């Protein structure tokens, strides 16, 4: 959802969802009130949180609705998470199932990825 200009000096927007409900405001019975600053403040973590929540939802749906599991343990949930794949807010979300070796099992294999590197001058003993 793109940020819209605020209205009437408010920091909230009158934007509505597909069902007609206000997205960023609520009616407390006396006036419309701001429901949060989500429409006006950039959030670099938001898309990742969205994808993480949807990843877990997809895995739980498979276990409960498709497979009929009523008591889920950690190993079952992890296995179901590895099977998840969808187009998310940050791109394609899918995970390495371990076919490339256990070292990469559970890593995101498509979409956004990054590598963490540490550098130190060789004078500090890091060597070449």
């Amino acid at each position: 959802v793109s940020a819209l200009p605020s209205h009437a000096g408010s920091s909230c927007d009158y934007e509505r969802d597909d069902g007609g409900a206000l997205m960023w405001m609520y009616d407390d019975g006396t006036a419309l009130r701001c429901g949060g600053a989500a429409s006006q403040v950039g959030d670099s973590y938001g898309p990742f949180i969205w994808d993480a929540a949807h990843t877990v939802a997809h895995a739980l749906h498979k276990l409960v609705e498709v497979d009929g599991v009523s008591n889920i343990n950690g190993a079952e949930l992890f296995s179901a998470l590895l099977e998840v794949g969808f187009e998310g807010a940050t791109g394609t979300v899918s995970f390495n199932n371990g076919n490339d070796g256990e070292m990469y099992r559970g890593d995101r294999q498509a979409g956004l990825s990054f590598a963490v590197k540490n550098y130190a001058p060789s004078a500090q003993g890091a060597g070449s």
Side-chain angles (χ1 to χ4, degrees):
V1 174
S2 298
L4 299 173
S6 60
H7 301 278
S10 168
S11 63
C12 298
D13 293 322
Y14 294 104
E15 186 174 8
R16 295 183 180 268
D17 65 15
D18 293 338
L22 289 165
M23 293 176 65
W24 312 116
M25 301 181 86
Y26 66 96
D27 187 349
D28 71 356
T30 59
L32 289 175
R33 305 276 183 205
C34 182
S39 66
Q40 298 298 318
V41 178
D43 180 2
S44 61
Y45 296 108
F48 297 101
I49 295 167
W50 180 269
D51 284 351
H54 278 80
T55 299
V56 174
H58 280 284
L60 290 173
H61 172 79
K62 182 201 180 292
L63 288 171
V64 175
E65 297 295 327
V66 177
D67 297 345
V69 178
S70 59
N71 293 316
I72 302 169
N73 65 40
E76 290 170 326
L77 180 58
F78 184 67
S79 292
L81 287 167
L82 293 179
E83 296 175 20
V84 169
F86 64 97
E87 286 300 316
T90 61
T92 303
V93 177
S94 63
F95 301 93
N96 188 309
N97 62 9
N99 289 340
D100 299 333
E102 285 298 309
M103 180 176 161
Y104 302 106
R105 186 168 188 231
D107 287 354
R108 186 168 176 178
Q109 70 181 19
L112 183 69
S113 62
F114 59 90
V116 176
K117 296 182 179 185
N118 293 311
Y119 293 97
S122 59
Q124 291 182 356
S128 54

